Amino acid sequence: MQVHARAPSFAASYGSHMVLQQSPAQAIIWGFTPLSESVALTMTGVTQTRILSATLTPFNTTFFTWKVDLPPTPAGGPYTLMVQHNRTLSKLISKAYQREASVIEDVLFGEVWVCSGQSNMAFLLEMADGGKRLVQDANNYPGIRFLTTRKLTAAKPLQELGQLTNRGEWVDGVELPWSVSSNISISQNSQGMNDDDWLYM
């Protein structure tokens, strides 16, 4: 994901290689912006480009959140999502002005599953029956993508991953960013997805 300091940013749960829920649902994209100026999201696919206006809501004294409801989109891709302030939109023809945009690439639409639990979510795939074969087989399914959140606790529901947790401060709420299925991304050699989520796919 490419981010520019002055540009709107995507929330932590979004990133390159992610999967968004396919139609008939409408996937929601949101993030933060330090400015109250209008925000637009550009969604580029293989054959079509859409420009969608975002709604802004105050988040705190220095930031706003922006949100876009995407049109219902059938399974497939890849798509590129670019968010920027409307004042830069007409200038994006120039490569220089693309530095004022945040970009997410290789986005697919499909089914999104949330896996949750305790010890079962910490079980290494290599330890399952036929685990060594399952790990290698993951290379055959590049359309499956993973995101692993960090293990954190909070006294109330959070709007953003890692926001004001019981540690008393903002922390990075993502342990493993969105990753394409492979023998590395689902194994104990990965940066964070060393559990048996794969068995639920």
Side-chain angles (χ1 to χ4, degrees):
M1 179 167 60
Q2 304 167 33
V3 180
H4 187 273
R6 293 178 297 177
S9 61
F10 292 91
S13 54
Y14 301 107
S16 293
H17 315 301
M18 70 178 174
V19 175
L20 296 174
Q21 183 60 41
Q22 66 177 326
S23 58
Q26 282 187 267
I28 295 174
I29 302 289
W30 72 279
F32 298 94
T33 176
L35 305 176
S36 60
E37 297 181 16
S38 59
V39 169
L41 179 80
T42 303
M43 176 180 171
T44 304
V46 176
T47 61
Q48 186 178 31
T49 295
R50 296 172 181 261
I51 298 177
L52 306 164
S53 295
T55 57
L56 295 183
T57 303
F59 180 73
N60 55 26
T61 57
T62 56
F63 278 88
F64 294 81
T65 60
W66 60 267
K67 187 184 82 163
V68 172
D69 295 334
L70 298 182
T73 305
Y79 291 85
T80 296
L81 303 178
M82 179 169 60
V83 63
Q84 70 277 311
H85 293 111
N86 275 338
R87 64 187 173 85
T88 65
L89 191 58
S90 62
K91 301 176 182 178
L92 284 176
I93 275 186
S94 165
K95 289 287 185 181
Y97 284 102
Q98 289 189 12
R99 292 196 299 268
E100 295 189 9
S102 295
V103 180
I104 286 178
E105 300 173 309
D106 188 32
V107 176
L108 301 182
F109 282 81
E111 289 299 312
V112 178
W113 295 82
V114 178
C115 298
S116 178
Q118 297 184 39
S119 57
N120 62 315
M121 288 293 101
F123 183 80
L124 295 177
L125 181 59
E126 287 90 333
M127 297 168 59
D129 286 344
K132 184 176 293 187
R133 174 186 57 79
L134 289 170
V135 167
Q136 295 305 315
D137 192 44
N139 293 313
N140 298 320
Y141 300 95
I144 296 179
R145 311 294 174 84
F146 298 98
L147 167 75
T148 302
T149 60
R150 196 171 298 282
K151 298 177 179 66
L152 299 170
T153 57
K156 60 183 181 180
L158 306 179
Q159 182 173 355
E160 170 69 309
L161 295 175
Q163 170 195 353
L164 297 178
T165 65
N166 286 351
R167 297 184 184 183
E169 59 185 6
W170 278 80
V171 296
D172 184 0
V174 175
E175 186 167 339
L176 176 70
W178 281 99
S179 302
V180 177
S181 169
S182 73
N183 64 313
I184 300 300
S185 64
I186 72 161
S187 75
Q188 62 182 339
N189 297 317
S190 75
Q191 296 295 314
M193 197 238 157
N194 55 1
D195 52 40
D196 67 347
D197 292 356
W198 181 256
L199 299 179
Y200 298 94
M201 297 298 112

